[in-house]
């Protein structure tokens, strides 16, 4: 049994996320976690809410609530929506947890001991209108590199170039829009990433199986221009993890907090500590996932995220871990995604554009969304959500292929043989041919899933469903029944066993459908089909079943037009 540590980029606390966020991190991470569990492997799947920084403060102020109260409430909301989408986290933590406070301060202390933190008199943007220092991301302007007019002061989300607020053309406050800005002196701590450049370069070079998207972004940050720059890890804010050197005060840093991008990735580790506490487990139980001196040397650690998060996970977080000098588990594979666009534009939380996760669940059950998003995952390039494509994919793949197969075979069996697996006949050439095709396809499906090739996995799964339909069309048990009811019984028996097989294979993509199908087949046998012929005999003669309700209802033109109108891209705040 192999062990897999899986983390998804942690979503900001400031509001409900859109479908682009979902498909860029949490959903493919869940797909991989469910697959590895289905194969009998041990999985620790962690995520959390990212609760610090100005976005949380501003969202709380807008809601008229203390920031701690706002974050607690939004954590519950995001956890509920994640559950609604079937995201199978072992723990969904909070970056404001005591565990993350302690670990973040611990790492800072270790980095300081290693000579990797320096104090800098920084020059930071102060907004007179807002009466506060503005964090980098709350200064907006035009990117000097690509001309994008909504670039933030830390990074341009259009071209991914790392920026400082002073680089921006015509900078303005993202809070008030004011251009009455001043650059003031303030002291901050910097992580000396530049000292670790060669070590990080060699580490990234060793990751030969990483997506080109991941390594190209990391290399760009390492080598473009002046190369990897040291990074500020503290901020002048009220809300956050107080700056300490381990458990000791840090002279000169009173009243400051750690930068959200320093503490947020550390929450991946802290979430495991939260999991242990929540489940009455010892520290050793979580440390075996994260400390290579305490059992984590045989763990495969996989991260999932959108491309905008890649620089921090390939450079800053690894710099924190390497720089600590301690034996923490480092990521083995980083799966990054491009952007999912919405009907000719970009999804955007800040601009309220697109379908948001809570709205999606109000319209249709999670499996509809899971299937479309994963089968159209933006892996090699950006992809686009359109209502026409969504309708077509749901109707053709889920309703016409999988749902239709289940409906035809169960209803035919009920009408001719009753609601149990029929006796009689034996598998012949057509059945053997199908078993051989399924074996080939299932092995290919496993290879794609293991390689985290999301779209290819979905295509292979659909082809497995199609193979069953083509078999049914070819042997036509409803015709066979007229001349040879015994042989028709064998064909039906195979068809009913295919339903159980499809439930198991489909479970990482559409887990609710898996539960529905196994319940209809009245079995809890969800064993993986390592031997396809044996898997197609799992439901014996006489085994009872029920005919399920419509597995996937088709989306009508009227529904599609209504949703297109309702979700024209702007969400009222």
């Amino acid at each position: 049994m192999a062990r897999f540590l899986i983390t998804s980029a942690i979503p900001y606390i400031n509001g409900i996320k859109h479908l682009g966020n979902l498909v860029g991190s949490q959903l493919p991470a869940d797909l991989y976690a469910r697959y590895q569990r289905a194969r009998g492997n041990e999985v620790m799947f962690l995520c959390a809410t990212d609760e610090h920084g100005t976005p949380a403060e501003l969202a709380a102020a807008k809601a008229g609530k203390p920031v701690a109260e706002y974050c607690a409430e939004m954590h519950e909301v995001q956890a509920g929506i994640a559950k609604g989408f079937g995201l199978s986290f072992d723990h969904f933590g909070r970056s404001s947890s005591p565990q993350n406070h302690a670990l973040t301060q611990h790492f800072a202390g270790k980095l300081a001991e290693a000579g990797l933190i320096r104090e800098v008199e920084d020059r930071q943007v102060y907004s007179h209108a807002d009466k506060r220092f503005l964090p980098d991301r709350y200064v907006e302007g035009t990117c000097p590199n690509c001309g994008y007019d909504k670039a933030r002061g830390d990074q341009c989300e259009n071209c991914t170039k790392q920026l400082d607020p002073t680089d921006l053309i015509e900078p303005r406050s993202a809070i008030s829009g004011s251009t009455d800005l001043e650059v003031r002196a303030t002291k901050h701590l910097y992580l000396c990433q530049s000292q670790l450049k060669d070590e990080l370069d060699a580490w990234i070079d060793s990751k030969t199986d990483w997506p080109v998207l991941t390594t190209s972004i990391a290399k760009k940050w390492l080598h473009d221009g002046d190369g990897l720059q040291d990074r500020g890890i503290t901020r002048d804010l009220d809300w956050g993890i107080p700056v300490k050197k381990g458990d000791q005060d840090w002279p000169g840093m009173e009243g400051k907090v750690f930068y959200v991008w320093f503490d947020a990735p550390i929450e991946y580790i802290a979430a495991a500590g939260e999991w242990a506490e929540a489940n009455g487990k010892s520290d050793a139980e979580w440390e075996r996932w994260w400390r290579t001196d305490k059992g984590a040397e045989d763990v495969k650690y996989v991260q999932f995220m959108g491309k905008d998060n890649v620089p921090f996970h390939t450079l800053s977080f690894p710099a924190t871990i390497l720089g600590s000098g301690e034996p923490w588990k480092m990521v083995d594979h980083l799966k990054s995604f491009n952007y999912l666009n919405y009907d000719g534009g970009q999804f955007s939380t800040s601009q309220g554009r697109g379908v948001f996760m809570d709205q999606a669940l109000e319209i249709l059950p999670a499996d509809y969304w899971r299937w479309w998003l994963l089968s159209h995952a933006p892996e090699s390039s950006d992809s686009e959500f359109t209502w026409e494509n969504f309708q077509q994919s749901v109707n053709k793949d889920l309703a016409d292929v999988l749902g239709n197969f289940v409906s035809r075979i169960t209803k035919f069996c009920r009408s001719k043989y009753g609601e149990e697996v029929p006796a009689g006949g034996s598998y012949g050439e057509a059945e053997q041919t199908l078993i051989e095709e399924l074996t080939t396809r299932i092995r290919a499906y496993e290879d794609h899933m293991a390689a985290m090739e999301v779209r290819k996995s979905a295509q292979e799964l659909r082809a497995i469903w199609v193979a069953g339909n083509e078999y049914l069309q070819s042997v036509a048990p409803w015709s066979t029944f007229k001349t040879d009811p015994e042989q028709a019984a064998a064909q039906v028996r195979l068809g009913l066993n295919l339903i159980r097989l499809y439930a198991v294979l489909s479970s990482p993509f559409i887990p609710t459908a898996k539960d529905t199908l196994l319940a209809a087949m009245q079995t809890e046998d969800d064993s993986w089909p390592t031997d396809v012929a044996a898997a197609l005999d799992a439901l014996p003669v006489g085994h009872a079943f029920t005919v399920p309700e419509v597995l996937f209802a088709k989306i009508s033109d009227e529904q599609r037009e209504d949703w297109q109108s309702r979700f024209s891209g702007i969400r009222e705040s």
Side-chain angles (χ1 to χ4, degrees), residues 155 159-160 204 211-224 306-312 314-315 336-338:
Q155 184 183 6
C159 69
T160 75
I204 290 165
V212 173
L213 178 66
T214 301
T215 51
S216 62
I217 292 173
K219 287 290 188 178
K220 185 176 172 184
W221 278 49
L222 275 168
H223 298 293
D224 275 13
K307 62 184 176 184
D308 52 331
N309 285 333
V310 167
F312 300 100
T314 53
L315 303 170
S336 56
F337 291 85
N338 288 283

Side-chain angles (χ1 to χ4, degrees), residues 383-400:
S383 58
E384 181 159 4
F385 176 91
T386 68
W387 288 102
E388 289 84 0
N389 186 287
F390 179 64
Q391 177 192 26
Q392 182 182 47
S393 183
V394 165
N395 290 356
K396 286 191 172 180
D397 300 347
L398 298 179
D400 287 347

Side-chain angles (χ1 to χ4, degrees), residues 191-264:
L191 174 61
C192 301
Q193 297 181 146
S194 57
Q195 292 185 34
L196 296 163
K197 177 179 177 292
D198 292 343
E199 201 172 344
L200 288 165
D201 215 358
W203 176 67
I204 290 165
D205 282 340
S206 73
K207 304 301 181 184
T208 54
D209 63 339
W210 281 15
V212 173
L213 178 66
T214 301
T215 51
S216 62
I217 292 173
K219 287 290 188 178
K220 185 176 172 184
W221 278 49
L222 275 168
H223 298 293
D224 275 13
D226 296 327
L228 186 62
Q229 301 296 299
D230 294 346
R231 195 82 170 147
I233 61 166
T234 57
R235 287 293 183 268
D236 292 297
L237 293 173
D238 296 326
W239 173 247
I241 296 176
V243 176
K244 285 194 168 189
K245 195 179 290 185
D247 56 3
Q248 303 297 310
D249 289 337
W250 204 310
M253 291 294 122
E254 296 83 1
K256 296 181 190 287
V257 299
F258 285 108
Y259 180 29
V260 63
W261 259 111
F262 182 68
D263 82 73

Side-chain angles (χ1 to χ4, degrees), residues 347-540:
F347 275 96
S348 172
T349 301
S350 59
Q351 296 171 47
R353 177 174 168 77
V355 184
F356 289 73
M357 289 170 67
D358 58 338
Q359 297 169 329
L361 291 176
E362 288 166 11
I363 298 171
L364 286 168
D367 279 359
Y368 291 73
W369 299 105
R370 288 178 65 105
W371 174 253
W372 189 91
L373 290 166
L374 290 166
S375 62
H376 293 78
E379 288 176 293
S380 57
S381 62
D382 290 355
S383 58
E384 181 159 4
F385 176 91
T386 68
W387 288 102
E388 289 84 0
N389 186 287
F390 179 64
Q391 177 192 26
Q392 182 182 47
S393 183
V394 165
N395 290 356
K396 286 191 172 180
D397 300 347
L398 298 179
D400 287 347
V401 180
L402 180 59
N404 188 46
F405 176 85
V406 172
S407 178
R408 288 169 82 191
I409 198 69
T410 53
K411 286 179 179 175
F412 177 72
C413 184
R414 179 173 64 184
S415 70
K416 302 300 182 186
Y417 302 99
E419 293 187 10
E420 63 178 43
V421 177
S426 58
Y427 293 169
E429 187 178 336
E431 289 72 32
Q432 196 52 47
T433 299
L434 176 64
I435 288 168
E436 288 169 10
E437 180 187 352
L438 288 175
T439 300
T440 301
R441 290 200 174 281
I442 291 168
R443 299 294 91 87
Y445 176 60
E446 292 166 354
D447 289 344
H448 292 318
M449 289 288 270
M452 289 161 266
E453 295 170 332
V454 178
R455 277 195 179 204
K456 287 181 180 177
S457 298
Q459 289 162 5
E460 201 62 63
L461 179 59
R462 187 186 190 279
I464 289 166
W465 298 341
V466 167
N469 276 279
E470 289 177 344
Y471 165 77
L472 216 55
Q473 282 296 106
S474 169
V475 300
W478 39 88
S479 297
T480 310
F481 183 81
K482 296 170 186 173
T483 56
D484 190 350
E486 290 274 306
Q487 189 54 32
Q491 294 163 354
V492 168
R493 193 160 64 248
L494 182 71
L496 293 170
N497 272 284
L498 270 174
I499 293 174
R500 189 205 71 86
L501 178 71
Y502 287 170
V504 174
L505 293 173
S506 307
S507 63
F509 282 89
I510 44 175
T512 304
K514 172 230 179 182
D515 294 341
T516 301
L517 293 177
L518 289 184
M521 292 299 103
Q522 297 190 17
T523 180
E524 294 180 2
D525 179 3
D526 61 357
S527 56
W528 194 262
T530 47
D531 179 337
V532 176
L536 292 174
D537 272 329
L539 303 180

Side-chain angles (χ1 to χ4, degrees), residues 297-325:
E297 67 281 346
D298 64 343
V299 168
K300 180 173 182 177
Y301 177 22
V302 183
Q303 293 176 344
F304 290 81
M305 71 198 62
K307 62 184 176 184
D308 52 331
N309 285 333
V310 167
F312 300 100
H313 288 79
T314 53
L315 303 170
S316 298
F317 184 40
T320 298
I321 292 180
L322 287 170
S324 75

Side-chain angles (χ1 to χ4, degrees), residues 13-84:
I13 197 72
N14 64 331
I16 292 163
K17 304 300 113 176
H18 55 66
L19 296 182
N21 295 129
L22 179 63
V23 75
S25 55
Q26 293 177 322
L27 191 53
D30 180 70
L31 179 79
Y32 189 65
R34 285 180 176 277
Y35 172 70
Q36 293 300 348
R37 291 192 196 105
R39 299 307 308 274
N41 294 319
E42 189 180 4
V43 169
M44 175 62 76
F45 179 23
L46 300 170
C47 193
T49 37
D50 184 358
E51 301 188 8
H52 295 136
T54 306
E57 290 187 344
L58 295 179
K62 188 174 181 180
K65 294 179 178 175
V67 64
E69 181 185 323
Y70 172 82
C71 287
E73 287 180 8
M74 282 308 302
H75 173 79
E76 289 303 309
V77 169
Q78 289 201 18
I81 293 172
K83 189 175 181 181

